[in-house]
Structures are given as C-alpha cells and as structure tokens.
Amino acid sequence: MNEPETFDVVVLGAGPVGENVADRARAAGLTVAIVERELAGGECSYWACVPSKALLRPVLALADARRVAGAREAVSSPIDAAGVFGRRNDFVGDWDDTGQVDWINGIGATLVRGHGRLDGPRRVVVTTPGGDTVELAARHAVVICTGTRAALPELPGIAEARPWTNREATEAMSVPGRIAVVGAGGVGVEMATAWQCLGSAVTMLVRGSGLLARMEPFVGEYVARGLAEAGVDVRTGVSVARLGRDGDGPVRLELTDGGELEVDEVLFATGRSPATGDIGLDTVGLNPGDWLQVDDTCRVQAVDDGWLYACGDVNHRALLTHEGKYQARITGDAIGARATGAPLDTADWGAHAATADHHAVPQVFFTDPEAAAVGLTAEQAQQAGQRVQVVDVEIGEAVTGAKLHADGYRGRARMVVDAEHEYLLGATFVGPGVADLLHSATIAVAGRVPVSRLWHAVPCFPTISEVWLRLLEAYRDSASVQAPS
C-alpha cells in the first residue's frame, strides 16, 4: 500500500462550508486538501440558494412594480421565462465550476476530485472519477462538510413518478404547465412563488394547517394569502398518498383526503437528510446516515482524540448556508488555534464558539411577501421558560416608508423581548422588502442589545426600517405581557 499524502487538514465537501473551513485553516498557516465528488461550490451554488434566488428576483421585482401606481401601468407583458432562465444560468456559471476551482487554488488549498470516505482515524480514501484511489492523511483534523440531500417520502409509485427535488426545480429549462408542490417549508413556498409567476399552474399541498410552520403563525398566513392572490391553489391538511406516471405522461396523485390531481411535474419539498451514508462513518465508530452531534467548535463529540469535525447541515444545528459558513469560520480558526497552540476562546461570544446557532439564527424566505426572522418566536421563548413581552406592528398602517414602498402595503413585524432583562430574544417581519431589515434585528438579538439602547439607533425617514421606532413605541406603551396571536 502506498503511503498517503499528508496534510494538516482534510475537508470532505467543497461547498461554501468546506471552502470557508479551508480558507480559515489556510489563514492559520495549515496545509489543506479539500475533496469534492460533484461541483466545487456545492449545492448552494448550483441547485439551491443562488439559482433559486436568481429565479425569484425577477418575480419579486415585477411584483414590486405592480404595487406602485405609475409603475404598474408600465408593466404590460408577462414575465419572460427564457430571460429568467438565462440570468439564472449566468449566476450558476452554466454549472461549470472553473471559477470555484480557481478560488480554491488561489488560497493554496489542494482540490482532490472524487468520492471521499473515512478510512479510520485521520485517514481519507478518495475514489476518483476515473476509478483510481487517492489516500490522504490528516495531521490535525478531518472536517465533514458533505451537507444534505432532499428527503423523499416512501410512497407507492414515487420512483415511477420521477419527482422533482430542489435540484430539478432550480435547474429546469422549460415551464411545465402544471406543478404540484408538496410541502410548505422554505423550498416549497419559494418554488411555488417562482413557478406560478413563470407560468405554471401551481397546486401546493400542505400536510399541516399552515405554511412556514417554524416561524410566527402570522407569517404563514400572509404568505398563503400572497400565494393565493398570485393564483396558487393552496390546500392545507392534505398530502400525497400514492403516485403514478406512464412514461413521459402526466403525474397522477392520489391525495390523503380522497381527491385526485393530475400535473406535469410534482416537486417534493419535504425536508432534508444528511449526506453521511457513504462517507465511511462506520470506520470510526459512527452510524452511516446519521446527523453528527458536535460541540460549539464543531468537533464531533462521539469520536475520541478530537480530530473529527462536522460543519454545516450535517451537524443539524441550523440548516442554512450562512450558518454553515459561520460555523466553518469558527471551526477553521479553532483547528488553527489547537494546531499552533494559540489560546482557544470558547467563552460566550468567543472567537472559537458557534454560539449564534443557539439563539441568533437569521432566515429569509423570498416569497411575495418576503418573510424574515431571527432568534426565538414567542412560542419558542415561552417553551424555553422565558418570561416575554411580545409587541406587534402592522407595518402598512404605521410606517410611512412602507406606504411609499408599495400602495396598500400589507405586512407585520413582531418583537419578542426578555421581560426580565429587556433585550431582544427574537424579531420577525413579513411584507414586501423586509429581507433587508433582518441584519439590524440579528445584531440586536446576537448582541443582546438592551431596548433602552435601541432607542438611540435612529431609523431613517422615510424607510421601512422606521418599523423599529414603531416597535419600540409599542413596547413602551404595552403595560403587560402579551400572548402571541
């Protein structure tokens, strides 16, 4: 057996999470190999965040124009799907990862193409596209950044139906006449928004009673109304019991309420599963296919000697690209500190601890209207035993900037305050243009900024950000703890 090529750090997965681990480890002076079996840049760059937002941006721009008198009269044609697809293709580089490879080479990391698997402690074996084997060893750390894949339910006929996942939904080059979207999380609501505007007749099938169930309840209500007004047939309390498809014909869906539906494509947006089933976890005492439990430096807790780390979706802390990149920066710095003997700072808000995962996770869904939130919902805070004060503001009624942004502006903001210490535990916004409000809320929640200090963060008039002043006024005027509606 040949001697393995040795690096300080070996990273499995060259998506944005793996790339950030490599970048931070290289900044610490460590040698790095990064292994990728598909495209460097990963799921986010080619089949998720980037292409989905490229599809959605023209949709929201058109919706914004139609909400303003004088502009709406200039919008006389339907959206140009071919133009939208072309713009999307530009953003994904036509699924060519040359630019990403150049970036990896530019930071001084070594890209190894192929399927990487653990082969015992600190060892990785890579099967290359040509069938050869490359053996790697890590002096200090192996970092698993393999992400997740779409989770499909076990339903009769699902294989024959050839359902879409996020990948097919974001890389499609033509517009199906009819689409069923199964699931009402982030992928479901965003793709329903995009494809309805692109020209498909969309039916959304929601197992539960509402959309975006992990956010404040009013968010799902606003988004459902927006989808319905755009023409989406939103059906709650129903899902798919059985599927059928003959060749390239339509997909036949038998529904749990006894109904039937025929569509040209069906998109399942029903969750994610960890891409850990075939990466050699069994060689280090872990179960293939499991999520990986980590500490705040993203070191895998069930493996001795502290050499194995897991960042991003695989550790199940926060399945969001920006949170994975945040963890990656923490992890790369922590590996560098441990390798060089530098002080390791894992105190609250420390440089080597991913504490934001616990209390300050931001998320945005680019629906019409947009939905944005950070931190805890009112219900989550109360379930955690917090005594909270909840204040709501109807943005379109209270904020001049919102009225200028869109005629008949509809939206709501909520602030969840720790009633004992008077700092923010969470904030939620729904309405046109609210995505760009979120970072100010994230700073307030992550920094535990006292409400008394937020009065001195003066919002510009007339912008939608003036909602912060209205929220503070509502908090001041609220005499008692309020229950969420």
Side-chain angles (χ1 to χ4, degrees), residues 344-418:
L344 195 69
D345 178 11
T346 58
D348 195 20
W349 300 332
H352 303 116
T355 52
D357 291 344
H358 302 305
H359 72 278
V361 175
Q363 56 184 331
V364 175
F365 299 112
F366 293 88
T367 47
D368 182 23
E370 292 174 345
V374 62
L376 302 178
T377 65
E379 182 179 4
Q380 289 166 348
Q382 290 168 339
Q383 288 178 346
Q386 301 273 9
R387 187 168 63 88
V388 299
Q389 189 162 342
V390 180
V391 291
D392 289 350
V393 166
E394 297 299 324
I395 303 174
E397 297 176 6
V399 179
T400 302
K403 297 173 184 178
L404 289 166
H405 183 89
D407 299 338
Y409 189 105
R410 293 188 311 217
R412 183 183 297 181
R414 170 169 289 180
M415 188 169 70
V416 181
V417 181
D418 182 308

Side-chain angles (χ1 to χ4, degrees), residues 415 423-424 440 444 449-459 468 472:
M415 188 169 70
Y423 58 72
L424 266 64
S440 56
V449 180
V451 171
S452 60
R453 287 297 301 160
L454 289 177
W455 280 102
H456 299 279
V458 182
W468 280 106
L472 293 172

